[in-house]
Amino acid sequence: MTVQPKVVIVGAGIVGCALSDELTARGWTDVTVLEQGPLFATGGSSSHAPGLVFQTNSSKTMTEFASYTVRKYAALTLDGQWCFRQVGGLEVATTAQRLAELNRKHGLAASWGVAGALLDPEQCAALHPLLDAGQVLGGLHVPTDGLAKAVRAGEAQARRAIERGARFLPHHTVTGIESAGGRVTAVATDRGGFPADVVVSCAGFWGPKIGRMAGLTVPLVPLAHQYARTTPVPALAGHNSEALEASKPILRHQDRDLYYREHGDRIGIGSYAHRPLPVDLDDVAHPSAGAPSMPSMLPFTAADFEQAWADSQELLPALARTKVEEGFNGIFSFTADGFPLMGESPQLRGFWVAEAVWVTHSAGVAKAMAEWLVEGTPRTDVHECDLNRFEPVQLAPSYVHQRSCQNFVEVYDIIHPLQPMEEPRPLRVSPFHARQRELGAHFLEAAGWERPHWYEANAGLAEVASIPGRGAWASRYWSPIAGAEALATRERVAMYDMTPLKRLEVTGPGSLAFLQYLTTNQLDKPVGSVTYTLLLDETGGVRSDLTVARLGPGHGSGERWQVGANGNLDLDWLTRHLPDDGSVQVRDITAGTCCIGLWGPRARDLVQPLTETDFSHQAFGYFKAKQAYLGNVPVTAMRLSYVGELGWELYTTADCGPKLWDTLWAAGQSLDVLAAGRSAFNSLRLEKGYRSWGTDLTAEHNPFEAGLGFAVRMDKGDFLGRQALLGITEETVSRRLVCLLLDDPQAVVMGKEPVYVDGVPAGYVTSAAYGYSIGASLAYAWLPRAAAGPATRVTVEYFGEQLPATITEEPLFDPKMARIRR
């Protein structure tokens, strides 16, 4: 019989209660939930949360979390009382921009499987008679949205967990996390210790305090958010019984950062339309004897609510006959990127967190956490929420504070997919940054890096005039210069800054066996080989795609490998799987190195005169690596090309970066070299059908579905995830990632739009761009295999418009790879 792990959950808010239910339902019944306050109105965010559950989100993962929350809580009752009331959700637009956004959001709902409908003003007012239809341009109605009673739903789940063996202990304040040998062993409280194999912090905005006890940074900021209730609204008299509480859809007026719900004959108003109000945890009263019963409910600051009250009366004229009867500033958790924090500490094994989780996503997060703990892998892709997604610079207290406050400000704003945060910037720059600024680089930001998307210096290129226009949304954070850069890459030669891509060094005598087990392709090749390969989880899902270069002897004994990765999660994954005998070392070398992608038909003409090393095709084949000098600069040159052209990734140390740029730039002047940005890069890589992990595929997809079966060598021996792939081929999968060509070449979509087959939503777009080389708008999309055959006609919904498209064979450009292998 397998011995059950001892699990201690810190916090009996709705997340802790939901997790106890999900764990015990899966057979982990040795669960203790420690709560510093009373049960079940603990004094945290769950205790005062208004409970609005709007499912649709630009993130597929967050929508799945919310939809599971709806399904689970709708089936719960507590002593005959409801836990979720499915009154529906209504988001209204009072501006043309918001109306367009609701059209886009309706598409997101269809992509993620949430049924919704776009309404005209009269239909909105019919659903919510308090609305002034004259103020509204339209709305989005989702019938399955609704109200969750957080405390009630928490207790209902806790009771089920208790019946299975869990125990809930109120008034236990955690004072320490004990460990030995890098693993958690116990939780200390003011009432004694509790042995633990697994500790999960579900402490909400107190999470950073618990994290510090375990040596972990929990990057969230507690912020106060205003909520008020009116006096009785005459127009609501007799509409709602005390037990039912609400009968009309929950309402969002995002143009004014407001939301509304009924409380019987009163209206509750939530406002984000005020300055950020960060809260110092030292100023929050402890929920113990003598402290306020709800320490998360701070005094109402009436001055911050004045404009919100005026805007509310304008949208809901019936409120003019009422006044604000009561209000409070409730504490919620915000993170730097708006996503929850889920996962295991990288420093202390067995210490997990599920923080910055709102009621909307609580059951979904708990389900994923329970799967992660019990089964080893969550069934929902959680890379956006993984605690370890942040780079070290993103954990600075000032960074977390600034970005979290900005997320509060923008919580209801219309955010473009490419829109970067404005502060703090610049944070991370490559050694080429000064040269890029001289060329008028237009920078966007990702993972703290300033990344050029196009260069104003290229505005005079003849190709600019031939670049077709595009719609208003797709034109944001874009320039026709990007198209000219793409065409120039195909025709001449261009320099791309690839420095922000994560680079890891793997060394040691056990490094080959280590990498062979963690990846899908055959890595046992001669020194100088580069291999495209995948990281899988135990279910066969693609955690990442990598390029792995075997570079030769390492420092001391063993070998040296350079791994081109996708981000910090790859470093975390490799580090977690290191052998205990010290035979392998993994080091992040990104900050100390830099890279220029030199690509185009003239790339060899540029680089060969600079070196004595033979860069001919015969001497330096595709997917090979060499050490060389370009002028005075030592480089590791890898013959790779994610734009589909002849060329190399040229790596050197950061101190030599400016010299590398200047050397290539000077040598390329006679060849019309140019600097090109990420916008051109994205178009070029899509023309070649190259996948982008995290966008085109995630851990919810296996390699054969994603068209990456060529990177899997089932005959190389055992590797992580191999068992899950047995019997799967590209012919047996149920879905596929396919290429679409849109009929209208100027109809450029952005990603996440629904794809319809025979008038029914069947899948969604991942990446999209205009293909400048092929003169067409293209997109990649997930579709059922039965509907994914070449020449199949589909439509893509874009801001409410149905755009005809055709599934086509890939790649669209140079399918025989002649240009790369010349």
Side-chain angles (χ1 to χ4, degrees):
M1 179 178 178
T2 303
V3 177
Q4 283 196 17
K6 293 183 180 296
V7 180
V8 174
I9 297 173
V10 180
I14 195 165
V15 180
C17 290
L19 180 57
S20 70
D21 183 35
E22 297 286 342
L23 284 174
T24 56
R26 288 166 173 78
W28 280 23
T29 56
D30 191 349
V31 175
T32 300
V33 183
L34 303 175
E35 172 53 52
Q36 64 180 346
L39 302 174
F40 283 92
T42 63
S45 298
S46 301
S47 304
H48 69 254
L52 282 71
V53 179
F54 283 89
Q55 296 167 82
T56 309
N57 191 290
S58 61
S59 163
K60 181 175 183 286
T61 295
M62 297 297 277
T63 299
E64 288 179 357
F65 285 164
S67 295
Y68 180 77
T69 298
V70 165
R71 295 194 300 273
K72 184 177 186 182
Y73 293 173
L76 289 177
T77 59
L78 183 72
D79 299 330
Q81 297 177 300
W82 59 272
C83 293
F84 184 83
R85 184 145 170 72
Q86 208 155 41
V87 294
L90 178 62
E91 302 177 58
V92 295
T94 59
T95 65
Q97 293 85 355
R98 182 67 60 180
L99 186 62
E101 173 69 0
L102 292 186
N103 274 272
R104 187 173 78 99
K105 198 166 187 180
H106 178 257
L108 290 170
S111 290
W112 312 147
V114 177
L118 292 165
L119 307 182
D120 63 29
E122 289 70 29
Q123 291 171 315
C124 291
L127 273 178
H128 203 299
L130 298 190
L131 274 171
D132 179 0
Q135 298 291 324
V136 176
L137 300 179
L140 172 62
H141 179 227
V142 176
T144 53
D145 289 343
L147 287 169
K149 297 291 285 187
V151 174
R152 200 180 288 169
E155 184 173 353
Q157 292 173 99
R159 288 187 188 181
R160 299 201 308 194
I162 291 168
E163 289 175 357
R164 302 183 190 113
R167 58 176 175 166
F168 280 69
L169 302 178
H171 306 297
H172 280 64
T173 299
V174 174
T175 58
I177 305 296
E178 298 177 4
S179 63
R183 288 203 62 89
V184 70
T185 58
V187 177
T189 78
D190 58 352
R191 297 192 177 193
F194 294 85
D197 303 302
V198 174
V199 176
V200 188
S201 178
C202 302
F205 60 79
W206 278 290
K209 182 178 180 181
I210 303 299
R212 284 193 292 272
M213 297 178 189
L216 175 69
T217 297
V218 178
L220 65 81
V221 174
L223 285 151
H225 156 59
Q226 290 199 300
Y227 193 78
R229 293 194 195 192
T230 68
T231 55
V233 182
L236 289 179
H239 280 230
N240 304 311
S241 68
E242 183 176 343
L244 291 181
E245 197 170 319
S247 57
K248 297 168 187 59
I250 49 177
L251 179 66
R252 284 207 284 198
H253 181 20
Q254 291 165 291
D255 286 319
R256 293 293 183 270
D257 297 312
L258 295 166
Y259 63 81
Y260 307 91
R261 58 154 293 182
E262 295 166 284
H263 293 277
D265 61 354
R266 291 163 167 78
I267 291 290
I269 307 170
S271 173
Y272 294 99
H274 56 80
R275 61 198 167 94
L277 298 168
V279 177
D280 188 333
L281 286 179
D282 292 336
D283 297 333
V284 179
H286 188 280
S288 58
S293 60
M294 289 293 173
S296 62
M297 297 172 65
L298 304 180
F300 190 62
T301 50
D304 289 311
F305 197 71
E306 289 178 359
Q307 187 59 52
W309 180 236
D311 291 335
S312 296
Q313 293 175 84
E314 185 176 32
L315 184 72
L316 308 174
L319 298 187
R321 301 178 62 187
T322 71
K323 62 181 180 180
V324 174
E325 184 174 57
E326 59 181 344
F328 63 93
N329 290 3
I331 305 176
F332 288 86
S333 300
F334 280 77
T335 60
D337 59 6
F339 287 98
L341 304 170
M342 303 168 58
E344 187 182 21
S345 165
Q347 295 93 13
L348 182 60
R349 295 295 182 261
F351 183 82
W352 294 69
V353 302
E355 306 287 22
V357 181
W358 292 6
V359 173
T360 301
H361 308 106
S362 54
V365 166
K367 173 178 176 288
M369 288 292 297
E371 292 165 349
W372 208 343
L373 287 161
V374 177
E375 302 170 18
T377 305
R379 299 182 188 180
T380 301
D381 169 58
V382 297
H383 82 275
E384 295 169 309
C385 310
D386 195 308
L387 167 72
N388 299 295
R389 64 191 181 268
F390 298 107
E391 296 289 324
V393 295
Q394 295 175 297
L395 297 177
S398 58
Y399 179 96
V400 175
H401 181 90
Q402 282 184 276
R403 291 284 171 106
S404 298
C405 286
Q406 188 62 28
N407 266 312
F408 177 91
V409 171
E410 295 179 351
V411 69
Y412 279 173
D413 286 0
I414 300 170
I415 304 296
H416 191 275
L418 295 177
Q419 183 173 330
M421 282 283 193
E422 296 302 324
E423 296 293 339
R425 289 180 65 192
L427 186 60
R428 307 174 80 185
V429 298
S430 81
F432 319 127
H433 186 70
R435 305 295 188 267
Q436 292 163 347
R437 291 185 63 184
E438 292 170 359
L439 294 171
H442 184 93
F443 293 99
L444 300 182
E445 181 260 1
W449 285 102
E450 296 296 319
R451 300 168 67 151
H453 275 241
W454 66 86
Y455 293 84
E456 288 297 328
N458 297 325
L461 291 175
E463 292 90 345
V464 173
S466 67
I467 303 304
R470 53 178 65 184
W473 186 250
S475 291
R476 295 186 64 187
Y477 305 102
W478 172 83
S479 167
I481 296 171
E485 292 174 357
L487 291 175
T489 304
R490 293 271 189 244
E491 296 163 2
R492 300 188 290 279
V493 61
M495 294 163 53
Y496 289 81
D497 183 0
M498 307 302 289
T499 302
L501 300 183
K502 176 76 80 174
R503 288 174 295 286
L504 308 176
E505 183 183 72
V506 180
T507 56
S511 56
L512 172 60
F514 170 72
L515 290 171
Q516 279 280 74
Y517 176 69
L518 287 183
T519 67
T520 60
N521 214 333
Q522 178 59 260
L523 302 184
D524 193 4
K525 301 175 182 177
V527 170
S529 298
V530 184
T531 306
Y532 177 80
T533 188
L534 309 173
L535 293 179
L536 304 184
D537 62 24
E538 292 83 351
T539 70
V542 182
R543 283 193 55 96
S544 189
D545 62 340
L546 313 172
T547 53
V548 180
R550 192 173 195 174
L551 297 181
H555 307 292
S557 63
E559 294 192 79
R560 181 168 66 96
W561 308 74
Q562 182 170 309
V563 177
N566 280 297
N568 213 52
L569 292 180
D570 295 342
L571 173 61
D572 179 66
W573 184 256
L574 266 61
T575 302
R576 288 180 186 279
H577 287 85
L578 284 171
D580 295 331
D581 61 7
S583 62
V584 183
Q585 297 81 44
V586 177
R587 188 167 67 99
D588 186 350
I589 61 172
T590 311
T593 56
C594 57
C595 177
I596 292 175
L598 184 73
W599 294 308
R602 299 178 184 174
R604 185 176 288 115
D605 296 334
L606 191 158
V607 74
Q608 187 62 78
L610 297 173
T611 182
E612 296 179 359
T613 301
D614 189 350
F615 271 60
S616 70
H617 179 64
Q618 293 73 22
F620 197 160
Y622 193 48
F623 267 84
K624 300 297 181 183
K626 285 190 176 186
Q627 310 292 328
Y629 282 91
L630 298 183
N632 295 314
V633 181
V635 299
T636 298
M638 297 187 195
R639 192 166 169 201
L640 309 176
S641 176
Y642 280 88
V643 301
E645 294 293 335
L646 169 69
W648 292 265
E649 293 180 359
L650 303 170
Y651 297 90
T652 191
T653 52
D655 60 323
C656 291
K659 186 62 175 177
L660 174 62
W661 181 285
D662 291 345
T663 298
L664 295 173
W665 188 255
Q669 290 308 297
S670 62
L671 301 171
D672 296 325
V673 70
L674 74 156
R678 294 291 300 181
S679 185
F681 177 91
N682 189 57
S683 171
L684 295 168
R685 67 107 182 158
L686 283 174
E687 290 179 338
K688 287 295 295 177
Y690 295 144
R691 279 57 168 150
S692 174
W693 188 88
T695 302
D696 296 316
L697 70 155
T698 66
E700 68 178 302
H701 308 107
N702 70 52
F704 301 102
E705 294 171 326
L708 298 176
F710 66 87
V712 178
R713 294 289 183 268
M714 297 293 287
D715 59 353
K716 77 164 187 172
D718 193 25
F719 57 85
L720 183 60
R722 183 181 184 277
Q723 285 297 115
L725 298 184
L726 291 175
I728 300 176
T729 67
E730 292 187 5
E731 287 69 42
T732 62
V733 297
S734 60
R735 59 184 173 182
R736 286 184 56 209
L737 184 65
V738 298
C739 183
L740 310 179
L741 274 181
L742 278 68
D743 289 5
D744 182 352
Q746 293 190 2
V748 179
V749 301
M750 299 296 296
K752 303 186 178 181
E753 296 85 3
V755 180
Y756 288 73
V757 178
D758 296 328
V760 178
Y764 60 91
V765 171
T766 58
S767 297
Y770 184 80
Y772 304 103
S773 309
I774 61 174
S777 184
L778 66 137
Y780 274 76
W782 282 103
L783 286 173
R785 185 172 68 90
T792 301
R793 295 288 288 169
V794 300
T795 59
V796 179
E797 182 183 328
Y798 184 66
F799 287 92
E801 183 181 359
Q802 296 295 321
L803 304 176
T806 303
I807 299 175
T808 185
E809 296 279 6
E810 57 168 331
L812 295 169
F813 183 82
D814 189 25
K816 295 184 178 180
M817 305 281 284
R819 297 173 71 92
I820 292 178
R821 300 179 186 275
R822 64 175 104 196

